[in-house]
Coordinates of all heavy atoms in Angstrom, one line a residue:
D186 N 122.3 93.6 82.8 CA 123.0 94.8 83.1 C 122.3 95.6 84.2 O 121.2 96.1 84.0 CB 123.0 95.7 81.8 CG 123.6 97.0 82.1 OD1 124.4 97.2 83.0 OD2 123.4 97.9 81.3
A188 N 122.7 98.6 85.6 CA 122.4 99.9 85.3 C 121.3 100.0 84.2 O 120.4 100.9 84.3 CB 123.7 100.6 84.8
R192 N 117.7 102.0 84.5 CA 117.2 103.0 83.6 C 115.8 102.7 83.0 O 115.0 103.7 82.9 CB 118.2 103.1 82.4 CG 119.5 103.9 82.7 CD 120.2 104.2 81.4 NE 120.6 103.0 80.6 CZ 121.8 102.4 80.8 NH1 122.6 102.8 81.7 NH2 122.1 101.3 80.1
I198 N 108.7 104.7 85.8 CA 108.2 105.5 86.9 C 107.7 106.8 86.4 O 106.7 107.3 86.9 CB 109.3 105.7 88.0 CG1 109.6 104.4 88.7 CG2 108.9 106.7 89.0 CD1 110.8 104.4 89.6
D216 N 111.6 93.9 94.7 CA 111.6 94.8 93.5 C 112.9 95.4 93.2 O 113.0 96.5 92.6 CB 110.6 95.9 93.7 CG 109.2 95.4 93.9 OD1 108.7 94.8 92.9 OD2 108.5 95.7 94.9
Y218 N 117.7 94.9 93.0 CA 118.8 94.1 92.7 C 118.9 92.8 93.4 O 119.3 91.7 92.8 CB 120.1 94.9 92.9 CG 120.3 96.1 92.1 CD1 120.5 97.4 92.7 CD2 120.4 96.0 90.7 CE1 120.6 98.5 91.9 CE2 120.6 97.1 89.9 CZ 120.7 98.4 90.5 OH 120.9 99.5 89.7
R273 N 124.1 85.5 100.3 CA 124.3 84.1 100.6 C 124.3 83.3 99.3 O 125.0 82.3 99.1 CB 123.2 83.5 101.5 CG 123.5 83.8 103.0 CD 122.5 83.0 103.8 NE 122.4 83.5 105.1 CZ 121.4 83.1 106.0 NH1 120.5 82.3 105.5 NH2 121.4 83.6 107.2
H292 N 124.0 92.9 111.6 CA 123.0 93.9 111.7 C 121.6 93.2 111.8 O 120.7 93.7 112.5 CB 123.0 94.8 110.5 CG 124.2 95.7 110.5 ND1 124.4 96.8 111.3 CD2 125.3 95.6 109.7 CE1 125.6 97.3 111.1 NE2 126.2 96.7 110.1
A299 N 115.6 92.5 118.6 CA 114.8 93.6 119.1 C 113.3 93.5 118.8 O 112.4 93.7 119.6 CB 115.3 95.0 118.5
P361 N 93.2 88.2 125.5 CA 92.0 88.8 125.8 C 91.8 90.2 125.1 O 92.7 90.9 124.9 CB 92.1 89.0 127.4 CG 93.6 89.1 127.6 CD 94.2 88.2 126.6
V367 N 90.7 86.5 121.6 CA 90.9 86.6 120.1 C 92.2 85.9 119.7 O 93.1 85.9 120.6 CB 90.9 88.1 119.6 CG1 89.6 88.7 119.9 CG2 92.1 88.8 120.1
P368 N 92.3 85.4 118.5 CA 93.6 84.8 118.1 C 94.7 85.9 118.2 O 94.5 87.1 117.9 CB 93.3 84.4 116.6 CG 91.9 84.1 116.6 CD 91.3 85.2 117.5
H374 N 94.8 96.9 111.9 CA 94.9 97.8 110.7 C 94.4 97.1 109.5 O 94.2 95.8 109.5 CB 96.4 98.2 110.4 CG 97.3 97.0 110.2 ND1 97.3 96.3 109.1 CD2 98.3 96.5 111.0 CE1 98.2 95.3 109.2 NE2 98.8 95.4 110.3
A376 N 94.0 95.5 105.5 CA 94.8 94.5 104.9 C 95.6 95.0 103.7 O 96.6 94.5 103.3 CB 94.0 93.3 104.4
S455 N 79.4 82.1 112.3 CA 78.4 81.6 111.4 C 78.7 81.6 109.9 O 78.1 80.9 109.1 CB 77.1 82.4 111.6 OG 77.3 83.7 111.3
A475 N 97.5 76.1 100.9 CA 97.7 74.6 100.6 C 99.1 74.2 100.9 O 99.3 73.2 101.5 CB 97.3 74.3 99.2
G482 N 101.2 69.1 107.6 CA 101.0 67.7 107.6 C 102.2 66.9 107.7 O 102.3 65.9 108.5
R487 N 100.2 64.3 110.1 CA 98.7 64.2 109.8 C 98.5 64.1 108.3 O 98.6 65.0 107.6 CB 98.0 65.5 110.4 CG 97.9 65.4 111.9 CD 97.3 66.7 112.4 NE 96.0 67.0 111.8 CZ 95.2 68.1 112.2 NH1 95.7 68.9 113.1 NH2 94.1 68.3 111.6
L504 N 90.6 77.0 88.2 CA 89.9 78.2 88.3 C 90.7 79.4 88.0 O 90.4 80.4 87.3 CB 89.3 78.3 89.7 CG 88.4 79.6 89.9 CD1 87.2 79.5 89.1 CD2 88.0 79.7 91.4
M530 N 105.2 71.4 96.0 CA 104.3 70.4 96.6 C 104.5 69.0 96.0 O 104.5 68.0 96.7 CB 102.9 70.8 96.5 CG 102.5 72.0 97.4 SD 100.8 72.6 97.3 CE 99.9 71.1 98.0
T544 N 102.4 71.2 84.4 CA 102.4 71.3 83.0 C 101.5 72.3 82.4 O 101.9 73.2 81.6 CB 102.1 69.9 82.3 OG1 103.1 69.0 82.8 CG2 102.2 70.0 80.8
D552 N 103.2 80.7 77.1 CA 102.4 81.5 76.2 C 102.3 83.0 76.5 O 102.0 83.8 75.6 CB 100.9 80.9 76.1 CG 100.9 79.5 75.5 OD1 101.8 79.2 74.8 OD2 99.9 78.8 75.7
Q569 N 93.9 98.2 89.7 CA 95.0 98.9 90.3 C 96.0 99.3 89.2 O 96.3 98.5 88.3 CB 95.8 98.0 91.3 CG 97.0 98.7 92.0 CD 97.8 97.8 92.8 OE1 97.6 96.6 92.9 NE2 98.8 98.3 93.5
R575 N 108.2 95.2 84.9 CA 108.7 95.1 86.3 C 109.8 94.0 86.2 O 109.5 92.9 85.8 CB 107.7 94.6 87.3 CG 106.4 95.5 87.2 CD 105.4 95.1 88.3 NE 105.9 95.2 89.6 CZ 105.4 96.2 90.4 NH1 104.5 97.1 90.0 NH2 105.9 96.3 91.7
G599 N 119.6 76.3 93.9 CA 119.7 77.1 95.1 C 118.5 77.0 96.0 O 117.6 76.2 95.7
L606 N 108.8 81.3 101.5 CA 108.5 80.3 102.6 C 107.8 79.0 102.0 O 107.0 78.4 102.6 CB 107.7 80.8 103.7 CG 108.6 81.4 104.9 CD1 109.4 82.5 104.5 CD2 107.8 81.6 106.1

Side-chain angles (χ1 to χ4, degrees):
D186 176 22
R192 280 195 300 272
I198 290 169
D216 294 303
Y218 294 121
R273 277 193 200 164
H292 293 288
V367 302
H374 57 73
S455 61
R487 286 177 55 179
L504 180 64
M530 289 182 67
T544 298
D552 288 344
Q569 182 185 7
R575 307 181 69 105
L606 266 69

